[in-house]
Amino acid sequence: MRFDNYPIDPRIKANLALLDWRKPTDIQYKAIPSILKGEDVLAIAQTGTGKTAAFAIPVCHLLLSRMSKHRYKQGLKCLVMVPTHELAEQVAGVFRELCRKTPLRVLALFG
């Protein structure tokens, strides 16, 4: 399966293409459909397998679809908690790449 076949926002698909991400990794293939349905997912995979994108892609899509259905209200829409400053920057970077040219904004907060 390719990302083009997923029912996700076209802007996210365009950003995936810019990143040259054509096909989901195994963890993404297994997790994205369940997350899009609103199901809970618990997954374990090795470093570098695309775990962050496995949840970031559907989260960005869900946020964008909610924005288009309802009048946009400012405020926190999603909180991702991670144990280290470095991981916070890494996760925020993935979200920024996926949300490029959308109204979504990303902030990495640590301290």
Side-chain angles (χ1 to χ4, degrees):
M1 181 176 243
R2 298 173 57 84
F3 283 119
D4 291 340
N5 299 334
Y6 280 89
I8 55 177
D9 190 281
R11 294 168 288 187
I12 296 172
K13 288 181 183 182
N15 290 331
L16 290 167
L18 287 173
L19 293 167
D20 202 31
W21 295 358
R22 306 283 181 220
K23 294 172 60 176
T25 64
D26 189 47
I27 191 73
Q28 294 163 355
Y29 177 78
K30 292 176 181 175
I32 290 172
S34 296
I35 298 170
L36 287 172
K37 292 177 194 170
E39 298 173 355
D40 292 336
V41 174
L42 176 63
I44 298 172
Q46 291 180 317
T47 300
T49 57
K51 291 183 297 292
T52 302
F55 72 85
I57 292 168
V59 165
C60 291
H61 168 76
L62 293 170
L63 291 171
L64 287 168
S65 67
R66 288 180 187 150
M67 286 177 87
S68 67
K69 290 180 184 173
H70 307 289
R71 201 177 86 174
Y72 180 71
K73 296 178 185 169
Q74 289 186 347
L76 182 66
K77 305 298 181 204
C78 175
L79 174 67
V80 179
M81 295 178 62
V82 296
T84 66
H85 157 216
E86 293 82 7
L87 190 54
E89 287 291 350
Q90 176 189 331
V91 169
V94 171
F95 271 90
R96 282 187 195 105
E97 292 292 325
L98 294 171
C99 296
R100 186 182 308 163
K101 297 183 181 178
T102 73
L104 297 177
R105 300 292 167 249
V106 179
L107 170 69
L109 183 63
F110 48 84

